Amino acid sequence: MKIICLVKFIPDVENIQFDKKKNVLMRENAKLTVNPDDETALAAALKVKELAPDTSVEIVTMGPKGVTRKFQDLLRRDVDKGILISDALYVGSDTYATSRILGAYLKTQQADCIFTGTHSLDGDTSHVPAQIAEILGIPQMNNVITLDMDQLLQGKALLQVNSEGDTLHFQMNLPGIISFEKSREYKMPYIRYEDFQRDVSDKIKIFSNEDLQLKEEEVGLTGSLTEVSRTFMKEVSKKDSITVKNDDEGIERVYQFLKEKGYL
Amino acid sequence: MKTKDLLRELENMLTKDQINTDEEDLYDASADRYKKYAKVRRVLDVPKPQAIVYPNTAEEVSKLLKFCNENKINVIPRSGKTATEGGLENWKEETIVIDAKNLNKTIKIDEYNMQATVQAGVVLGELEEELRKRGYTTGHSPQSKPVAKMGGLVATRSIGQLSTLYGGIEDMVVGLECVFPDGHISRIKNVSRRAGGPDIRHIVIGNEGALCYITEVTVKLFKYFPENNEFHGFLVKDMDTGIKVLREVMVNGYRPSVARCYSEEDAKQHFYHFYKDHCVVIFMAEGNKEIAEATGKGIEMAAEKFKEGIVEKVDSGLLEEWFENLNWSQQDIDDEYEGMLENDSHTGFTTEVSGDWETIIKIYHNVMKRIKEEYHRVEDLTLLGGHSSHSYINGTNMYFVYNYEIHCAPEDEMRVYHHPMQRIIVEETLKLGGSMCHHHGIGKFRNEWTKEEHGSAYYMLEKLKESFDPNNIMNFGTIYPQEEGEKYQK
Ligand SMILES: Cc1cc2nc3c(=O)[nH]c(=O)nc-3n(C[C@H](O)[C@H](O)[C@H](O)COP(=O)(O)OP(=O)(O)OC[C@H]3O[C@@H](n4cnc5c(N)ncnc54)[C@H](O)[C@@H]3O)c2cc1C
């Protein structure tokens, strides 16, 4: 069985720094991290491989040429191959152009399943998996929480899907795109000690537009159907701060505050 | 000796309820907080001890040690279980843990002579509570005060957060009682000072259970004047300035109880609500009113001298509050364990070193540079910084702190994360003539450098082990390097 996982690297928003003087997020210092939903998808793929070791798991990501340490770390797990799709022409692609690029690559591959995340934390449109499915002419399902591994190995995808809190069961014909939601069900395996400093460059292949042969007007800003008309940084105004003591009164105050704001 | 036979022998010396063979307790006793993550994830690679015993008297300790010595059974002395450097980790199949739980009596609080005598198993926090009710303090305030016990505190040469005024435990211990492997019980008497040959207290203080078992300690008392406490704090532009301010206060003869300087990264985790991306210097002045006030003035004068590097003053109310919530209770320790079960992370690791004023800042910068340039998992670090927290007339300490996301299996954590950074810190410190262990002890994971730490004086350290513990039964692998234990260090 061949599984291709689409993985996106996003700025690690939890650890992003804030320049208090200029009142802006310091994006350039932000570390990259694997989009959590995608990590669950890859963890599920590696679980399949653990059960059926002849499974091949390939990860595909789109981004700038420099192969990040995070990408190498994924390949230090039991991943067979890493494809980095990178070309100056692709810069500025919206979700539609991105789907077209990824679709062009995937068309050349014969995967039994494509695993993706449902949302990405930074864009959060959920467009890409469905659009790729459209391009490839195969089924796709969002918000998958679990997958029956035994059935999958027999060529059938039985999916448990989160539908606004309810769990629904679906069966999908393969090949298809299974888009996971972040969950604890599938946990990324640890990197083995011996593999920590392993050179994984032989597992990486870089694809450019020379390989994918898309027309210039189909990709990048020109190929994008949507346009970002304006971006703005959320104003962060200085809030009044109240310091309470670590006593009953202080605890009560914090409790009431959280309750008032709907956190409790 | 087989466990069955050992237990029979132990039953001849102790009552049944003084012997614990509960599997879970033995698992817990096989390692300390050094391998906290592997321990919680149940992947420890070390053997479990065969039993934990709870002697009631020094005589029982004597009997136990004599028996273990004759039968070459490894002994791990234990008190509050807050050890951080592997001092409680077991590397031998044949081992018993001698726990001070039942040595829990406060023998005498002597207000006139300003000293208190307690057994090894008395929790410092409990002694301190009793003393404070009477208007006194030991002056000893390590963060582990609510849990650590007097035997362990003396055995590790511990130091408290108020050390810049009161000193480390070595400045507080007046006299003590301890038991050697051959069963000999020594009492070092309580006098104000003497010139009766070398100060033999120092053979016991800091022995980390590798020479003898401490059963009783007498410590000094000080008058407690919390109402006079003054808090002073400054945001400073860099560590160099911060260390200079600390030095200025010290060399002018002031003795604030707390004198600390935090790097920006470390300040962020403690003082996120006011650090404003700067290093933070904090002081507490205490003692009788006149002294506290004079110390406060000395601090302000030192800050004034380096005003070029001072960004702003910190509201003293914020500092007071921070100090109040600094100690770790057993609940905090338990909560951290719970967290480690759930997440691939923990509260981080530390390595504490010391050096003179000139050297410490070089060590700090060299370490930061090397870790950032050389360490192969530097991207996983979520915190890398340090603080100086104990100052002396001639220098200070540096407490390196580092936290990281864990991407390896729990059993590999040390060799992937802590060890490479600890190695850089120790190497840089020893290279410049500092000490690799300011207050946590050598334990079992810095013993690789014990010889280098002591240089030609290692001869003296070695002779102590040879004469007091010739069969090497005391806490195998602690302080003294042992080839047989290396497999557990990698
Ligand atoms: C949250 C936290 C904060 C800490 N803060 C500080 C701090 O501020 N300052 C500081 O110095 N340390 C600190 N430590 C480290 C630790 O608390 C100290 O080393 C303390 O002295 C250990 O005391 P204990 O009673 O817990 O000893 P244990 O952990 O039981 O033992 C420590 C070592 O002493 C030996 N030992 C124990 N009892 C005896 C005995 N009766 N006779 C002979 N040897 C014995 C053991 O074999 C072991 O090697 C901290 C630890 C934690 C977990």
Side-chain angles (χ1 to χ4, degrees):
Chain A
M1 164 162 284
K2 176 168 175 175
I3 305 175
I4 295 184
C5 290
L6 303 186
V7 171
K8 184 176 184 185
F9 291 92
I10 59 168
D12 184 356
V13 279
E14 291 204 0
N15 291 312
I16 212 160
Q17 292 194 356
F18 192 76
D19 184 331
K20 291 204 184 97
K21 282 182 214 105
K22 296 193 195 127
N23 215 22
V24 290
L25 291 175
M26 291 159 64
R27 278 180 191 276
E28 49 302 352
N29 294 352
K31 286 187 186 175
L32 290 179
T33 183
V34 182
N35 181 49
D37 282 12
D38 304 358
E39 189 170 294
T40 300
L42 178 56
L46 290 172
K47 185 85 200 160
V48 178
K49 183 160 184 168
E50 193 188 310
L51 298 172
D54 59 345
T55 305
S56 129
V57 175
E58 171 181 315
I59 50 175
V60 176
T61 190
M62 226 176 108
K65 269 249 168 58
V67 177
T68 61
R69 257 278 302 287
K70 294 274 173 187
F71 192 57
Q72 293 173 356
D73 269 1
L74 294 184
L75 295 167
R76 290 193 171 104
R77 273 105 174 175
D78 217 0
V79 173
D80 299 274
K81 208 159 139 195
I83 306 294
L84 173 65
I85 300 180
S86 190
D87 198 301
L89 285 179
Y90 301 162
V91 175
S93 296
D94 69 354
T95 61
Y96 181 70
T98 300
S99 307
R100 202 181 245 156
I101 298 162
L102 288 168
Y105 170 75
L106 293 168
K107 262 189 202 160
T108 66
Q109 301 297 307
Q110 244 128 46
D112 299 287
C113 280
I114 297 170
F115 284 9
T116 76
T118 301
H119 300 273
S120 71
L121 272 190
D122 57 346
D124 206 15
T125 62
S126 290
H127 291 171
V128 174
Q131 287 174 164
I132 294 175
E134 180 80 18
I135 292 167
L136 300 178
I138 57 175
Q140 186 264 344
M141 179 59 76
N142 269 349
N143 297 100
V144 173
I145 32 183
T146 57
L147 166 71
D148 186 323
M149 300 269 166
D150 294 333
Q151 291 294 324
L152 184 78
L153 290 168
Q154 287 165 39
K156 222 196 278 172
L158 295 182
L159 312 172
Q160 270 192 39
V161 172
N162 172 22
S163 176
E164 295 181 353
D166 290 334
T167 304
L168 306 180
H169 296 259
F170 288 92
Q171 180 174 337
M172 182 197 273
N173 292 335
L174 294 179
I177 300 183
I178 301 174
S179 302
F180 289 84
E181 213 176 75
K182 180 188 171 179
S183 87
R184 286 187 165 265
E185 183 73 26
Y186 302 112
K187 199 169 175 308
M188 192 76 111
Y190 298 116
I191 304 172
R192 280 188 298 263
Y193 180 71
E194 312 70 72
D195 294 336
F196 259 97
Q197 301 203 53
R198 192 167 128 209
D199 178 11
V200 285
S201 47
D202 60 326
K203 287 190 183 184
I204 301 171
K205 236 179 135 195
I206 300 178
F207 274 70
S208 68
N209 201 42
E210 226 167 83
D211 305 293
L212 300 184
Q213 293 289 323
L214 288 157
K215 295 200 192 88
E216 234 174 86
E217 61 272 21
E218 288 178 328
V219 296
L221 280 175
T222 37
S224 294
L225 297 181
T226 55
E227 188 185 308
V228 179
S229 63
R230 188 169 76 97
T231 62
F232 58 93
M233 194 61 74
K234 194 169 174 281
E235 280 286 319
V236 184
S237 54
K238 196 166 181 332
K239 298 270 194 312
D240 288 341
S241 70
I242 301 168
T243 308
V244 295
K245 282 214 161 0
N246 187 5
D247 55 17
D248 286 350
E249 200 187 317
I251 293 167
E252 182 60 23
R253 187 111 186 234
V254 173
Y255 176 74
Q256 288 306 338
F257 174 79
L258 293 174
K259 212 165 147 187
E260 193 186 299
K261 298 282 168 197
Y263 290 108
L264 295 175
Chain B
M1 184 177 284
K2 285 210 182 95
T3 305
K4 195 168 73 201
D5 302 327
L6 170 74
L7 293 177
R8 209 179 39 239
E9 296 285 349
L10 291 176
E11 278 170 26
N12 288 335
M13 290 180 262
L14 305 168
T15 58
K16 270 214 161 100
D17 60 358
Q18 288 177 282
I19 305 166
N20 181 355
T21 53
D22 177 79
E23 281 301 316
E24 199 48 43
D25 291 343
L26 295 179
Y27 177 78
D28 177 55
S30 50
D32 58 30
R33 291 179 55 81
Y34 191 80
K35 289 191 182 157
K36 58 184 177 183
Y37 185 57
K39 186 173 177 180
V40 167
R41 297 296 187 97
R42 304 204 74 93
V43 292
L44 284 177
D45 54 351
V46 291
K48 282 196 271 213
Q50 292 164 290
I52 305 166
V53 293
Y54 308 101
N56 294 328
T57 60
E59 288 66 34
E60 281 183 355
V61 174
S62 164
K63 263 196 244 166
L64 285 163
L65 286 184
K66 201 158 180 274
F67 163 76
C68 290
N69 195 33
E70 278 159 11
N71 293 284
K72 302 215 167 53
I73 294 167
N74 183 38
V75 172
I76 300 182
R78 186 171 92 169
S79 292
K81 297 204 293 177
T82 62
T84 53
E85 302 298 324
L88 297 179
E89 188 167 312
N90 178 34
W91 286 356
K92 284 276 195 186
E93 296 293 338
E94 293 181 17
T95 297
I96 66 164
V97 170
I98 304 188
D99 188 293
K101 186 176 82 173
N102 293 350
L103 298 170
N104 58 358
K105 286 165 213 64
T106 296
I107 295 168
K108 188 171 184 191
I109 293 179
D110 182 349
E111 294 174 21
Y112 191 75
N113 292 310
M114 298 292 275
Q115 55 196 25
T117 302
V118 293
Q119 287 186 316
V122 169
V123 176
L124 170 61
E126 289 168 13
L127 170 64
E128 193 59 29
E129 208 175 304
E130 176 56 33
L131 289 173
R132 287 190 183 187
K133 274 192 228 149
R134 303 173 185 216
Y136 297 95
T137 173
T138 58
H140 201 43
S141 190
Q143 247 190 311
S144 52
K145 179 167 75 179
V147 190
K149 297 177 178 175
M150 294 308 285
L153 288 158
V154 173
T156 51
R157 267 183 95 85
S158 62
I159 199 163
Q161 296 156 103
L162 313 175
S163 71
T164 308
L165 173 61
Y166 298 102
I169 192 84
E170 68 277 15
D171 302 303
M172 301 165 176
V173 172
V174 181
L176 52 80
E177 180 188 71
C178 61
V179 189
F180 288 92
D182 63 2
H184 180 82
I185 302 176
S186 285
R187 284 189 74 83
I188 302 179
K189 69 181 175 187
N190 301 325
V191 286
S192 51
R193 189 195 184 256
R194 62 173 159 167
D199 192 338
I200 48 178
R201 287 175 297 189
H202 291 288
I203 295 174
V204 181
I205 302 172
N207 90 80
E208 295 184 49
L211 297 176
C212 62
Y213 194 97
I214 300 162
T215 45
E216 187 189 296
V217 198
T218 300
V219 288
K220 294 174 189 166
L221 301 185
F222 300 88
K223 282 205 168 170
Y224 183 54
F225 307 101
E227 63 283 6
N228 300 335
N229 290 354
E230 280 191 20
F231 300 88
H232 300 259
F234 310 91
L235 305 187
V236 295
K237 79 174 186 339
D238 51 28
M239 283 294 269
D240 301 59
T241 307
I243 297 286
K244 279 187 194 144
V245 174
L246 293 185
R247 178 183 175 278
E248 186 66 17
V249 171
M250 296 306 295
V251 300
N252 284 319
Y254 296 103
R255 300 283 295 270
S257 54
V258 176
R260 293 181 169 214
C261 170
Y262 286 79
S263 74
E264 295 92 334
E265 306 83 351
D266 199 7
K268 186 179 174 189
Q269 64 163 346
H270 291 277
F271 314 115
Y272 56 91
H273 49 314
F274 64 72
Y275 88 112
K276 300 181 182 164
D277 297 333
H278 292 295
C279 297
V280 175
V281 175
I282 55 174
F283 294 96
M284 176 159 117
E286 68 172 276
N288 68 48
K289 198 161 184 330
E290 292 72 19
I291 288 181
E293 277 174 10
T295 308
K297 278 199 197 113
I299 292 164
E300 293 298 331
M301 268 154 45
E304 178 61 23
K305 181 165 172 187
F306 291 98
K307 63 173 183 252
E308 306 284 277
I310 303 234
V311 181
E312 63 181 60
K313 247 182 102 81
V314 176
D315 172 6
S316 63
L318 292 170
L319 295 173
E320 184 168 6
E321 197 173 74
W322 179 75
F323 276 112
E324 276 171 15
N325 298 304
L326 209 51
N327 290 335
W328 273 55
S329 64
Q330 188 60 47
Q331 188 60 47
D332 295 318
I333 294 176
D334 295 346
D335 288 349
E336 191 198 12
Y337 272 49
E338 282 298 312
M340 288 188 288
L341 270 179
E342 296 257 314
N343 306 311
D344 292 339
S345 65
H346 50 59
T347 51
F349 256 96
T350 60
T351 299
E352 20 67 62
V353 305
S354 65
D356 58 30
W357 292 114
E358 213 177 326
T359 315
I360 202 76
I361 194 73
K362 291 184 193 152
I363 295 174
Y364 173 76
H365 289 302
N366 290 357
V367 165
M368 289 295 142
K369 184 163 179 291
R370 264 190 76 188
I371 292 183
K372 285 175 188 163
E373 285 176 6
E374 280 176 33
Y375 176 46
H376 69 102
R377 297 301 299 182
V378 73
E379 279 193 11
D380 295 343
L381 293 178
T382 51
L383 167 71
L384 171 66
H387 61 260
S388 153
S389 42
H390 306 274
S391 282
Y392 312 90
I393 190 91
N394 60 336
T396 188
N397 78 313
M398 186 55 64
Y399 202 84
F400 289 100
V401 294
Y402 32 98
N403 204 352
Y404 39 80
E405 296 161 4
I406 303 172
H407 290 284
C408 61
E411 56 271 35
D412 293 328
E413 185 219 343
M414 288 304 186
R415 50 187 185 161
V416 174
Y417 294 102
H418 176 53
H419 287 164
M421 286 186 277
Q422 180 199 46
R423 176 168 294 278
I424 290 175
I425 296 167
V426 171
E427 281 175 3
E428 287 307 311
T429 304
L430 292 176
K431 198 166 79 192
L432 293 179
S435 167
M436 65 163 178
C437 38
H438 174 261
H439 66 267
H440 282 165
I442 291 178
K444 293 193 175 68
F445 292 86
R446 281 187 275 189
N447 67 12
E448 175 186 345
W449 297 283
T450 306
K451 286 183 190 160
E452 211 181 321
E453 167 73 27
H454 286 277
S456 57
Y458 184 71
Y459 168 81
M460 297 162 75
L461 204 66
E462 208 174 19
K463 289 289 169 210
L464 288 177
K465 185 77 173 170
E466 279 168 20
S467 49
F468 290 121
D469 183 22
N471 290 339
N472 199 5
I473 62 146
M474 295 299 286
N475 213 346
F476 180 79
T478 295
I479 300 179
Y480 298 89
Q482 302 287 346
E483 216 180 303
E484 194 193 320
E486 283 172 12
K487 59 178 183 282
Y488 300 120
Q489 290 174 307
K490 297 294 174 243

